[in-house]
């Protein structure tokens, strides 16, 4: 069984890792193409600047204010049309002569690499942080020729905000690094301006001189990433250390990431640039599915082994019978007197085997019955939880009705009986799923007034609220606000939330309960807040899990909040849990508003 499970796990990991690799490669190709389109769509534009008569005239007479103004006006209009961040022209010394941003005129940017490359007659492409505005961007520079001579440089700064807004396309952590192996953009802000590889001292000095990254200190990237790229697929694979993912990843053959741990790192080099795009695909889902496949393979192997054992046991029994018959035949002639004893012994063995078979059948019947009882118990657990509070309310109302009848207060008796009838109907609706065992009952959405639902829920806890001296602040009492849902199920959710709040405040010296409702963001928000100790941050995300409860043993089944959230989602809403700034837990029930009737 262990061997089958291990083999299934290994095969499943390999197959699902390749599947994840293919899917991630497809996503990365699409994202890389989108990034290339965002970054490189304006690259040819600086080359057109040298066609401007205003720019050519300015380069011939750099000190003329009128020519500076005319060239800057042209650059401002062109930049507004292109949608770039900045567009400016430098002379041979690197001084900005004209710019779409007047603040840049006169700045000395001769230390920038893109200026030096354009001055030598090449097209410069570099990431850098603006000297004045401190905004990062992609700088594209083109030489401006007067004949064969380079007389100036045209520079366009392209904004990178669209790339930051597109990280969600990948659905996984990713980064973009420049030729210095420095992360310039990332879906995780803490990775920005970190180096994927250790930078030499001369490179660090050069970066300080060129100020490509402003005043940011370049630290080491927190992950140990292998920067080698496959020639055919261009996949970069690395290791994710413990604490940042699913654990420290192991290394497989040829530098590949072991699929049983860590994350798969894939890379692309953007065409036309020296930038590298890295994506981190989590292998946790691969391992989880492989564990399920391993368990299934182990169980299947165990079943096959058990079947083989049964067949072998049967074969041994048949062999024993044949051997016994042979011995009896050999002894018939010599031991006729022992024939009766042998027959008796055989009859006894037959009875024992029949009894064993009968016992086995009874055990099988018990197992089937236990399976049915377990399924019925799981279903009855939820029904019991939902019937507990209505039954307690009926018990209280019936006792009050007897007392009111003895006093002759028939109106009060009639009111209690009406409430008991409504609770009985609600209990009937709860029990309805038992008819089909697994069939869910359909909700009947209608305009449910929140004040009525809150009043009915508080009424069920009236005796407990008075005994425990809980102060209730009900802001919905006079509110006409209504939601589109099933009223009975709305009350069911409120009963769970109020009951949980009362349980949470049982050990508190001061006990108060706040209930309010408001129309917010096109939905109806109903909030229930208590004055208890609040939700433990470590357990807050688990409060909606079935059978999870923070109460003491016997205090709850852990199904109330799970059922309440299912009711809210079935109505088209949601149930959220959080801690209130003033203390205590706050549960917010979001419900759809009552639809506006359309004209015929």
């Amino acid at each position: 069984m262990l061997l089958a499970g291990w083999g299934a796990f290994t095969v499943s990991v390999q197959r699902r890792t390749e599947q994840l690799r293919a899917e991630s490669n497809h996503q990365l190709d699409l994202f890389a193409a989108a990034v290339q389109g965002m970054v490189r769509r304006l690259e040819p534009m600086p080359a057109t600047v040298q066609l401007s008569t205003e720019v050519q005239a300015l380069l011939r007479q750099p000190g003329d204010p009128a020519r500076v103004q005319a060239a800057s006006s042209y650059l401002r209009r062109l930049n507004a049309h292109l949608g770039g961040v900045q567009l400016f022209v430098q002379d041979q010394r690197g001084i900005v002569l004209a710019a779409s941003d007047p603040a840049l005129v006169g700045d000395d940017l001769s230390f920038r690499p893109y200026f030096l490359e354009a001055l030598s007659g090449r097209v410069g492409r570099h990431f850098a942080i603006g000297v004045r505005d401190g905004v990062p961007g992609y700088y594209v520079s083109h030489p401006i020729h007067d004949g064969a001579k380079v007389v100036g440089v045209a520079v366009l700064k392209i904004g990178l905000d669209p790339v930051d807004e597109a990280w969600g396309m990948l659905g996984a952590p990713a980064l973009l690094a420049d030729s210095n192996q420095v992360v310039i953009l990332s879906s995780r802000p803490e990775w920005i301006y970190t180096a994927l590889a250790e930078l030499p001292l001369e490179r660090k000095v050069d970066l300080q001189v060129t100020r490509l990254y402003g005043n940011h200190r370049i630290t080491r990237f927190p992950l140990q990433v292998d920067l080698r790229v496959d020639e055919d697929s261009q996949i970069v694979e690395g290791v994710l250390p413990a604490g940042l993912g699913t654990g420290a990843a192991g290394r497989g053959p040829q530098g590949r990431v072991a699929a049983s741990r860590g994350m798969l790192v894939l890379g692309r080099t953007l065409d036309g640039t020296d930038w590298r795009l890295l994506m981190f695909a989590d292998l946790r889902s691969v391992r989880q599915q492989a564990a399920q496949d391993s368990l299934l393979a182990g169980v299947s192997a165990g079943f096959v082994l058990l079947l083989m054992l049964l067949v072998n046991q049967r074969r041994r029994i048949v062999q024993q019978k044949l051997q016994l018959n042979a011995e009896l035949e050999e002894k018939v002639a010599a031991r006729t007197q022992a024939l009766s004893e042998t027959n008796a012994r055989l009859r006894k063995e037959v009875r024992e085997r029949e009894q064993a078979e009968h016992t086995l059948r009874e055990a099988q019947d018990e197992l089937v019955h236990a399976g049915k009882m377990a399924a019925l118990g799981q279903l009855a657990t939820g029904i019991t939880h939902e019937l507990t509070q209505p039954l307690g309310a009926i018990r209280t109302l019936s006792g009050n009705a007897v007392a009111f009848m003895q006093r002759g207060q028939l109106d009060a008796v009639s009111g209690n009986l009406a409430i008991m009838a409504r609770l009985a109907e609600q209990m009937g609706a709860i029990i309805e799923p038992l008819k089909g065992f697994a069939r869910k009952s359909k909700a009947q959405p209608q305009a449910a007034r929140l004040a009525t639902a809150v009043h009915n829920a508080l009424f069920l806890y009236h005796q407990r609220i008075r005994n425990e001296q809980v102060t209730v602040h009900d802001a919905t009492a006079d509110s006409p606000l209504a939601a589109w849902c099933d009223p009975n199920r709305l009350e069911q959710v409120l009963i769970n939330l109020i009951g949980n709040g009362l349980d949470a405040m049982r050990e508190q010296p001061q006990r108060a309960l706040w209930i309010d409702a408001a129309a917010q963001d096109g939905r109806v928000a109903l909030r229930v807040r208590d004055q208890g100790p609040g939700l433990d941050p470590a357990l807050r995300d688990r409060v909606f899990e079935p059978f999870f409860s923070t109460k003491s043993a016997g205090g709850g089944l852990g199904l109330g909040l799970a059922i309440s959230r299912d009711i809210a989602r079935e109505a088209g809403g949601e149930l959220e849990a959080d801690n209130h700034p003033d203390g205590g837990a706050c549960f917010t029930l979001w419900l759809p508003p009552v639809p506006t009737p359309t004209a015929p």
Side-chain angles (χ1 to χ4, degrees):
M1 291 176 62
L2 292 177
L3 182 61
W6 177 81
F9 182 85
T10 303
V11 173
S12 178
V13 163
Q14 293 176 353
R15 181 169 58 87
R16 297 185 184 279
T17 300
E18 291 302 323
Q19 182 180 0
L20 176 63
R21 189 193 313 277
E23 295 174 354
S24 300
N25 272 327
H26 179 67
Q27 291 180 345
L28 194 59
D29 288 336
L30 295 178
F31 186 77
V35 172
Q36 289 175 188
M38 296 174 190
V39 174
R40 301 192 59 198
R41 63 185 180 87
L42 299 178
E43 279 191 2
M45 293 300 106
T48 63
V49 173
Q50 66 179 347
L51 303 178
S52 169
T53 57
E54 292 89 344
V55 174
Q56 291 288 352
L58 176 62
L59 291 174
R60 293 189 184 96
Q61 294 182 357
D64 189 344
R67 296 183 184 274
V68 171
Q69 183 176 1
S72 295
S73 178
Y74 165 75
L75 295 177
R76 186 163 48 252
R77 294 193 307 272
L78 180 59
N79 184 64
H81 176 73
L82 297 178
V85 179
Q86 293 173 350
L87 180 61
F88 54 91
V89 174
Q90 298 174 266
D91 61 10
Q92 294 175 321
R93 297 177 300 167
I95 305 300
V96 178
L97 298 181
S100 60
D101 183 3
L104 289 176
V105 177
D107 285 356
D108 184 2
L109 301 180
S110 59
F111 57 90
R112 291 296 200 185
Y114 55 79
F115 166 75
L116 299 176
E117 289 190 12
L119 191 63
S120 62
R122 300 188 301 272
V123 178
R125 301 180 182 88
H126 284 278
F127 168 87
I129 297 178
V131 176
R132 284 189 173 273
D133 56 12
V135 177
Y138 179 54
Y139 288 82
V140 181
S141 61
H142 280 259
I144 300 177
H145 294 86
D146 186 1
K149 181 181 179 182
V150 177
V151 296
V153 174
V155 182
L156 173 64
K157 180 180 180 181
I158 303 173
L160 300 177
D161 290 340
V163 180
D164 271 333
E165 296 172 358
W167 290 120
M169 293 173 55
L170 291 176
L175 59 87
L176 192 63
D178 62 3
S179 59
N180 297 317
Q181 303 300 337
V182 175
V183 180
I184 57 176
L185 293 174
S186 175
S187 59
R188 299 185 65 164
E190 65 271 18
W191 288 354
I192 300 179
Y193 304 125
T194 59
L196 298 178
E198 190 66 33
L199 298 178
L201 180 59
E202 57 273 13
R203 174 65 67 179
K204 294 181 179 179
V205 174
D206 185 54
L207 294 181
Q208 292 180 356
V209 172
T210 58
R211 290 190 286 172
L212 292 181
Y213 310 106
N215 296 325
H216 293 281
R217 180 174 175 266
I218 306 302
T219 59
R220 189 70 169 84
F221 188 64
L223 310 183
Q224 297 295 330
V225 178
D226 187 353
L227 299 179
R228 290 175 296 177
V229 179
D230 285 334
E231 295 180 358
D232 52 346
S233 62
Q234 294 188 340
I235 298 178
V236 181
E237 302 183 16
V239 181
L240 185 66
L244 292 174
T246 57
R251 280 280 176 187
Q254 300 178 357
R256 293 185 177 271
V257 175
S260 60
R261 296 181 294 175
M263 299 181 76
L264 188 66
V265 184
L266 303 99
R268 291 290 183 276
T269 299
L270 300 185
D271 293 340
T273 68
D274 49 8
W275 290 4
R276 176 169 294 179
L277 179 64
L278 297 182
M279 171 185 172
F280 297 81
D282 194 354
L283 293 172
R284 178 169 43 192
S285 60
V286 172
R287 295 195 306 273
Q288 292 175 350
Q289 191 62 42
Q292 295 178 5
D293 296 342
S294 174
L295 179 61
L296 180 61
V299 172
S300 301
F303 177 77
V304 172
L305 290 175
L306 180 60
L307 183 61
M308 293 175 61
L309 290 175
L310 291 177
V311 172
N312 183 61
Q313 182 66 18
R314 181 176 179 81
R315 182 181 60 83
R316 291 178 60 186
I317 292 176
V318 172
Q319 289 179 349
Q320 290 177 357
K321 288 183 177 180
L322 292 176
Q323 182 179 0
L324 181 60
N325 291 335
E327 292 177 354
L328 290 175
E329 290 177 359
E330 292 176 357
K331 296 179 180 179
V332 166
R335 300 181 58 182
T336 55
Q337 296 181 354
L339 181 60
S340 58
E341 297 179 0
T342 302
N343 292 334
R345 186 165 57 254
L346 290 174
R347 286 194 296 270
K348 180 180 179 181
E349 290 182 2
V350 170
R351 286 195 301 269
E352 290 178 352
R353 297 187 185 280
E354 289 177 350
Q355 182 63 31
E357 292 178 357
H358 179 70
T359 303
L360 177 59
R361 285 193 294 270
E362 289 184 348
Q364 292 175 342
D365 294 340
E366 289 295 330
L367 289 175
V368 173
H369 180 68
K372 293 181 179 179
M373 292 301 294
L376 183 60
Q378 292 178 354
L379 179 61
T381 300
I383 300 301
T384 301
H385 181 274
E386 297 301 328
L387 292 180
T388 301
Q389 293 174 341
L391 285 174
I394 290 176
R395 187 183 300 111
T396 302
L397 292 171
S398 61
N400 293 342
V402 172
F404 288 146
M405 186 175 297
Q406 292 175 353
R407 299 173 186 171
Q409 298 177 358
L410 299 182
D411 292 339
V413 173
S414 177
N416 282 10
L417 292 178
I419 297 175
M420 292 168 62
R422 182 178 58 81
L423 291 176
E425 293 178 358
Q426 182 177 346
M427 292 168 59
I430 295 174
I431 301 175
E432 183 68 20
L434 283 176
K435 294 181 179 179
F437 192 73
R439 177 175 54 87
K440 294 184 178 179
S441 61
K442 297 293 184 181
Q444 301 295 330
Q446 54 183 286
R449 190 166 177 264
L450 301 185
T452 302
V454 173
H455 172 76
N456 293 338
L458 289 174
F459 180 80
L460 298 180
Y461 288 105
H462 176 73
Q463 188 70 21
R464 180 177 175 183
I465 291 174
R466 185 177 61 183
N467 293 339
E468 297 181 3
Q469 298 180 357
V470 178
T471 303
V472 179
H473 303 278
D474 183 12
T476 66
D478 300 325
S479 173
L481 197 60
W484 189 252
C485 63
D486 188 292
N488 289 332
R489 297 194 174 193
L490 175 58
E491 293 182 16
Q492 188 175 344
V493 174
L494 287 172
I495 289 171
N496 282 326
L497 297 181
I498 294 174
N500 288 343
L502 295 177
D503 292 340
M505 296 186 295
R506 184 170 294 171
E507 304 298 331
Q508 300 296 320
Q510 300 293 332
R511 305 178 184 93
L513 196 68
W514 290 268
I515 304 176
D516 63 272
Q520 184 177 343
D521 298 332
R523 296 187 294 175
V524 177
L526 180 60
R527 296 180 176 85
V528 178
R529 172 194 163 202
D530 58 58
Q531 203 174 8
L535 301 173
D536 187 351
L539 303 177
R540 183 169 54 188
D541 295 335
R542 299 186 58 195
V543 296
F544 293 109
E545 294 182 5
F547 301 103
F548 176 77
S549 176
T550 58
K551 300 177 183 179
S552 58
L557 298 173
L559 288 172
L561 290 178
I563 295 174
S564 298
R565 185 177 63 174
D566 291 342
I567 292 174
R569 290 180 174 176
E570 184 179 359
E574 186 57 81
L575 180 61
E576 300 175 350
D578 204 349
N579 288 324
H580 196 273
D582 297 334
C586 180
F587 287 84
T588 303
L589 176 63
W590 296 92
L591 294 172
V594 178
T596 304
T598 58

